[in-house]
Amino acid sequence: MIGLLRRILTHPWLALAFRLYIGGLFVYAAMYKINYAAEFSETIASYRLAPYWAVNALAVFMPWIEIVCGALLILGVRVRSAAAVIAAMLAVFTVAIFINLLRGAPISCGCFKTIEDPISWWTVLRDLGWITMTLHVYRYDAVLQADRLFLGKLGRIGS
């Protein structure tokens, strides 16, 4: 029974499902932030964690990092690198939410839109779930990776 459960949890097709989900999630999340960077900068400022001089730069660059990493996950290009960046971003987001929950700040997450439900412990659990999925992708993903399918042949030619 434990062996079957282990085989299911470590199966590369489960990692592919997580990869497509997390990639699509980050592309979706970035679309709104790119279109409304000023509102997103207000959301970042409401967390009161980033220095004021960095808020606008974060609001401009962070969504582009999200969309590029999400697209790389969907396309299966440089999957481990994209998963590592996304896991790091999710860890930062989770810590920021955790700190503001301890402060009792009634702010919204700003994950997908600027006006959302206030952050809660469910938000932290949701982000921890996404971190777990991303780490699963980092560790077990081996199916339909474009760079392995196409660039792997170039590596064999070079050696």
Side-chain angles (χ1 to χ4, degrees):
M1 183 69 179
I2 292 175
L4 176 66
L5 185 62
R6 176 179 288 172
R7 248 188 325 194
I8 291 171
L9 290 177
T10 61
H11 201 277
W13 288 100
L14 180 62
L16 175 65
F18 286 161
R19 189 180 92 198
L20 294 175
Y21 173 72
I22 295 294
L25 184 76
F26 267 72
V27 168
Y28 174 73
M31 298 300 284
Y32 186 84
K33 297 172 190 172
I34 289 171
N35 288 328
Y36 299 99
E39 291 181 18
F40 185 52
S41 70
E42 291 177 9
T43 301
I44 293 172
S46 70
Y47 277 85
R48 295 181 300 151
L49 294 173
Y52 72 90
W53 51 265
V55 169
N56 288 336
L58 285 171
V60 170
F61 292 112
M62 192 171 11
W64 286 102
I65 294 170
E66 290 178 0
I67 202 166
V68 167
C69 288
L72 289 175
L73 283 186
I74 292 170
L75 296 173
V77 177
R78 302 294 182 206
V79 170
R80 294 188 83 185
S81 300
V85 170
I86 286 177
M89 291 176 72
L90 283 169
V92 170
F93 299 159
T94 305
V95 169
I97 292 169
F98 182 81
I99 290 171
N100 277 283
L101 282 173
L102 292 179
R103 289 178 178 167
I107 60 174
S108 69
C109 174
C111 303
F112 302 102
K113 294 181 180 176
T114 54
I115 301 173
E116 293 177 320
D117 293 333
I119 56 174
S120 67
W121 293 108
W122 288 112
T123 312
V124 173
L125 288 175
R126 179 198 66 191
D127 283 6
L128 289 174
W130 288 341
I131 289 172
T132 303
M133 288 181 190
T134 306
L135 293 176
H136 188 278
V137 169
Y138 183 86
R139 174 67 178 95
Y140 297 110
D141 186 61
V143 177
L144 298 176
Q145 291 186 349
D147 52 353
R148 284 189 184 176
L149 291 174
F150 302 112
L151 298 179
K153 293 177 183 175
L154 291 176
R156 283 182 285 206
I157 292 172
S159 60

